[in-house]
Amino acid sequence: MFQGHAIGKYTTVPGHPHGTVSATAKDQSIKLSADETIYSEGEYAIAIYQVEAGAVRIYRLTSNGQRHILSFCGKGEWFGLENGNVRTDFAEAICETRVRPFRTNQDAVVPIDLLHIALTNLAKAQCKQLIISEQSALKRLAAFVQEMADRHPEDPEFDIMMSRTDIADYLGLTVETVARSFTKLREKRILRLAGKSQRIVRLLDRDALVALTI
């Protein structure tokens, strides 16, 4: 796994409010290919991570091996903060991704408020809970697309990066149901899909999308 790699030397920066930050991005960044594992359940939690490019999926496995995706993390977002010292989930790169690790031991303080990260992750978990509480598959997908659109408030077109399987495991649906729901959104002229894997979303009617989630 990658959590023990590329966590290089840390240095004290004079005048920095937190005292200790990582070294140069060149020394610290980890480049990952699609589906590469960053860390796994049961490993020691020695760092948290910030996504510099690409996207990451956080998931858990049930006793029968079923995957449940807890969250997706995009550029600028943080993941890997644990309540204890051992990992309780898995983190993988969704596509070609670059992340930067920050040690969480007493000798290396990350340059960000950990409470802020914890509260942000809690808000994302609550949002996920609201999405999967919807009985309608179409509403679940509409809420998911809205969640992705909120990360690109000024851009009507964006790359969701996730496969239909990822989306299905996030929403608690089948891949076929996700595909049918995307078709319905297209038929309603709420969005248009493009790209080789149909992952580029162009919003045609943001208000109609929001209305579907209410």
Side-chain angles (χ1 to χ4, degrees):
M1 307 314 169
F2 281 88
Q3 77 159 357
H5 301 293
I7 303 179
K9 296 179 180 179
Y10 283 70
T11 181
T12 299
V13 179
H16 193 283
H18 294 277
T20 308
V21 297
S22 68
T24 64
K26 180 179 179 181
D27 294 332
Q28 293 301 310
S29 296
I30 302 172
K31 293 183 179 179
L32 303 148
S33 300
D35 299 322
E36 274 197 273
T37 300
I38 301 166
Y39 58 74
S40 299
E41 179 185 12
E43 293 181 357
Y44 284 109
I46 61 175
I48 62 173
Y49 301 81
Q50 185 177 38
V51 181
E52 294 186 326
V56 172
R57 68 173 76 89
I58 309 297
Y59 69 93
R60 289 181 182 172
L61 295 176
T62 64
S63 58
N64 62 3
Q66 185 176 357
R67 184 181 72 163
H68 288 282
I69 293 181
L70 305 175
S71 65
F72 297 114
C73 301
K75 183 178 179 180
E77 295 184 314
W78 294 77
F79 66 96
L81 183 63
E82 296 284 352
N83 187 40
N85 296 322
V86 178
R87 297 291 182 195
T88 57
D89 46 38
F90 298 79
E92 290 177 349
I94 293 174
C95 52
E96 288 190 1
T97 297
R98 189 174 72 251
V99 301
R100 178 187 261 190
F102 293 84
R103 286 190 182 274
T104 54
N105 59 34
Q106 294 180 350
D107 297 325
V109 181
V110 296
I112 193 170
D113 185 355
L114 293 178
L115 177 60
H116 172 75
I117 297 176
L119 292 176
T120 299
N121 289 343
L122 177 60
K124 288 170 67 175
Q126 290 174 333
C127 179
K128 163 73 180 303
Q129 189 61 39
L130 287 173
I131 289 176
I132 64 174
S133 68
E134 294 287 355
Q135 296 301 311
S136 164
L138 183 60
K139 278 194 170 187
R140 290 191 196 186
L141 184 63
F144 166 76
V145 174
Q146 180 62 38
E147 179 188 351
M148 296 298 106
D150 286 343
R151 301 182 182 188
H152 306 82
E154 306 299 327
D155 193 350
E157 185 172 288
F158 52 89
D159 187 346
I160 58 175
M161 301 185 188
M162 303 88 186
S163 67
R164 298 295 185 266
T165 301
D166 280 341
I167 297 171
D169 287 352
Y170 181 67
L171 299 178
L173 301 170
T174 65
V175 175
E176 294 75 17
T177 300
V178 168
R180 286 194 298 269
S181 297
F182 266 120
T183 298
K184 290 179 182 178
L185 291 178
R186 286 162 48 186
E187 291 173 345
K188 292 176 179 291
R189 298 190 61 78
I190 291 175
L191 56 76
R192 186 165 60 233
L193 300 175
K196 183 178 179 180
S197 301
Q198 297 286 284
R199 298 181 188 181
I200 306 297
V201 174
R202 182 170 186 83
L203 288 183
L204 304 176
D205 192 337
R206 191 181 289 263
D207 291 339
L209 178 68
V210 173
L212 271 179
T213 67
I214 298 175

